[in-house]
Amino acid sequence: MTTELIAIARQRAQESGLPYAGAVTPEEAFSLLQNDAGVVLVDVRTNAERDWVGRVALPEAQHKAVQWNLYPGGAPNPGFLSELQAAAPDTATILLFLCRSGVRSRHAAKLATENGYSACFDILEGFEGDRDAAGHRKSTGGWCQKNLPWIGA
């Protein structure tokens, strides 16, 4: 199962010219995590987002938090790479990057790839997905809308 999902994700990368290993849907990400205890989800949202909006419910060994931006203010996290290296020291580990809607995670996957990580994947749609017609999230895609395990608000 893992091999097939990674092949699909790599195909998406080739088709879209992604500068990292590939992209997975939230369901594919969860399947990868379920089928391989060595796969790690890296949540790049701010600590405030995880605390106030929610976070994935995964075993601690498979769920790492490395902020892309800092709260408040949204300044880039100058320690991103060193924190990622502490969270995932093996550069061959399959890393699944997650953010709110799939933008910061792409940047994180690209930067990690540029710094020697060989298996970086973006989780499409992110944790909350895009906004619906009323401007709300968690209803038009993303980890939450797909009813994958999460806790929080």
Side-chain angles (χ1 to χ4, degrees):
M1 176 69 101
T2 299
T3 304
E4 294 89 14
L5 291 175
I6 294 296
I8 291 167
R10 289 186 186 281
Q11 182 64 34
R12 282 187 191 113
Q14 288 180 344
E15 291 170 357
S16 299
L18 302 177
Y20 42 85
V24 294
T25 66
E27 299 95 335
E28 290 166 347
F30 186 64
S31 183
L32 286 166
L33 291 155
Q34 293 264 290
N35 291 311
D36 186 341
V39 174
V40 174
L41 184 146
V42 180
D43 190 333
V44 301
R45 296 175 301 144
T46 64
N47 292 336
E49 286 175 283
R50 283 189 299 281
D51 290 346
W52 299 337
V53 176
R55 61 182 173 82
V56 297
L58 294 171
E60 191 174 323
Q62 287 187 289
H63 178 217
K64 306 299 179 184
V66 182
Q67 299 178 101
W68 180 254
N69 294 339
L70 301 175
Y71 178 86
N77 178 4
F80 179 81
L81 279 174
S82 61
E83 292 171 25
L84 179 62
Q85 291 163 346
D90 182 353
T91 58
T93 299
I94 295 173
L95 299 178
L96 308 176
F97 289 91
L98 177 75
C99 68
R100 180 188 63 204
S101 57
V103 176
R104 288 171 285 175
S105 55
R106 290 192 300 258
H107 295 301
K110 180 179 183 289
L111 184 64
T113 299
E114 291 169 351
N115 283 273
Y117 285 87
S118 61
C120 298
F121 298 85
D122 172 41
I123 299 177
L124 301 167
E125 304 172 16
F127 183 72
E128 295 182 77
D130 291 330
R131 292 181 181 181
D132 63 18
H136 301 126
R137 295 189 187 270
K138 295 185 183 172
S139 63
T140 59
W143 189 275
C144 298
Q145 189 270 333
K146 303 298 184 189
N147 294 315
L148 299 171
W150 67 282
I151 56 174

